[in-house]
Amino acid sequence: QVELVESGGGLVQAGGSLRLSCAASGFTFSTYGMGWFRQAPGKEREFVATTGWNSGNTHYADTVKGRFTISRDNAKNTVYLQMNSLKPEDTAVYYCAASYSAYPRDLSNDYRYWGQGTQVTVSS
């Protein structure tokens, strides 16, 4: 049974940091590209960051570039999203996902498995 379980969300003041984790099970994690997406109230789900199977190739949305860092630990079957200099507009439910490809992918349609999400709220 495939599972992606996000954790690490919460309430933080603007300028603060959070580190999200996503623990994967039920599939061969090390062969899948992974991504983070987010969805704010009343908005479409949007791409945040993605990494290939070995963390050597990453890509970020322009809105988070330079502030967020995606990484993975294949030994722990976990992908992370380090979020620094948080802004109120970063408030959303954050989802991790496993791609159909071993390489970074920006489009949600390229993702096969999804977690349930974790809430991130940034106060001004």
Side-chain angles (χ1 to χ4, degrees):
Q1 180 182 354
V2 172
E3 273 198 310
L4 293 171
V5 180
E6 301 95 337
S7 61
L11 173 65
V12 64
Q13 288 190 331
S17 298
L18 283 174
R19 188 195 196 200
L20 304 184
S21 299
C22 173
S25 61
F27 63 100
T28 309
F29 177 79
S30 61
T31 66
Y32 281 71
M34 298 295 295
W36 287 95
F37 291 75
R38 66 187 182 186
Q39 187 167 18
K43 294 189 176 181
E44 299 275 321
R45 184 168 55 190
E46 65 176 3
F47 164 74
V48 175
T50 179
T51 179
W53 65 276
N54 67 350
S55 287
N57 192 355
T58 58
H59 186 231
Y60 298 90
D62 288 343
T63 52
V64 307
K65 200 173 294 182
R67 299 188 297 123
F68 291 11
T69 303
I70 188 171
S71 62
R72 65 189 295 162
D73 185 338
N74 286 342
K76 295 182 178 180
N77 286 359
T78 301
V79 62
Y80 304 97
L81 186 68
Q82 177 67 44
M83 305 187 296
N84 298 329
S85 302
L86 282 161
K87 305 175 181 180
E89 51 264 45
D90 294 318
T91 295
V93 177
Y94 283 71
Y95 299 90
C96 75
S99 173
Y100 286 101
S101 170
Y103 300 97
R105 290 291 182 265
D106 296 0
L107 300 178
S108 59
N109 286 347
D110 289 332
Y111 285 80
R112 181 176 187 181
Y113 304 124
W114 292 84
Q116 294 299 306
T118 186
Q119 176 70 47
V120 171
T121 303
V122 184
S123 63
S124 57

